[in-house]
Each structure stands twice: as structure tokens, then as C-alpha cells.
Amino acid sequence: QVRLVESGGGSVQAGGSLRLSCAASGVNFKIQPMHWYRQAPGNQREWVASITSGGATNYTESGKARFTISRDNAWNRLYLQMTSLKPEDTAIYYCHTFSRGRAFWGQGSQVTVSA
């Protein structure tokens, strides 16, 4: 059973930083492309960043200069370091991957950025 568990969210002021973590189990993590998505109230879930099994990264335009996605294959962990946070970054952040043709999501971690 694939399980993704996010942690590390919280409330910060604009300009602050947070690091999200995602603990993965039930999957061969080191070969999995991994992704972060987010969903703000009233909005659709949107892609934030991705990292391949080889460590190549890709970001949404708004996060390119402020977010860093990384992974620790020894510990089956995915991370999202977020800096210079803005109120519009307020959302629930989700860890995501595909395995055996199925999509898997974590329960989400709330990030709230106040002005």
C-alpha cells in the first residue's frame, strides 16, 4: 500500500520560510518521479514542482526562484523548501506520485502566509 504523509506546514508572515516533508512508503521511492501540488480555498489543485528519480527538477513559474524541491532516497523523503513566502502561497500542499498506473496523494499540509 502506497502511503504519502506530509508534514512541516504552518503559519508564517510574508517573507518567511517553511520546509515541507513527505514520507513515502509502499513504493520503490528511488525510482519514482515525485511532485508537489497545492490547493488554495476556492481554487483547483495546481502543480508546484517536480523531481525525477535522477534529481532533475522543474517548477511553476511563481516558485522557480523561491522554492527548492529535493529528495532523500535513503530515507524515502521528499522535501519542498519555500522561501520569500507570499500570502498567495497560502494553500494546502500535497505530495503526489504515480505507481502501477495509479495516482497517490498525501493528506496535505496547510501553509498559511499572512501579510
Side-chain angles (χ1 to χ4, degrees):
Q1 182 79 4
V2 177
R3 189 165 183 238
L4 303 173
V5 180
E6 300 94 338
S7 60
S11 297
V12 295
Q13 291 191 322
S17 299
L18 282 173
R19 188 174 85 149
L20 303 179
S21 297
C22 171
S25 60
V27 66
N28 190 357
F29 182 80
K30 64 178 182 289
I31 69 169
Q32 294 292 123
M34 298 294 299
H35 317 276
W36 286 102
Y37 279 72
R38 67 185 183 186
Q39 187 167 17
N43 289 1
Q44 289 189 333
R45 195 169 295 189
E46 64 177 6
W47 170 72
V48 175
S50 295
I51 186 167
T52 68
S53 58
T57 58
N58 201 10
Y59 301 91
T60 186
E61 195 63 35
S62 67
K64 195 171 290 187
R66 301 183 296 123
F67 295 173
T68 303
I69 187 172
S70 62
R71 63 193 300 157
D72 185 336
N73 290 338
W75 289 95
N76 290 2
R77 293 287 193 276
L78 177 72
Y79 301 102
L80 185 68
Q81 178 70 48
M82 302 184 291
T83 62
S84 302
L85 283 161
K86 306 174 182 180
E88 51 263 43
D89 294 317
T90 295
I92 300 174
Y93 284 71
Y94 297 92
C95 179
H96 168 61
T97 194
F98 280 94
S99 179
R100 305 182 199 98
R102 290 182 58 192
F104 294 93
W105 299 88
Q107 84 288 350
S109 184
Q110 176 71 49
V111 171
T112 302
V113 185
S114 56

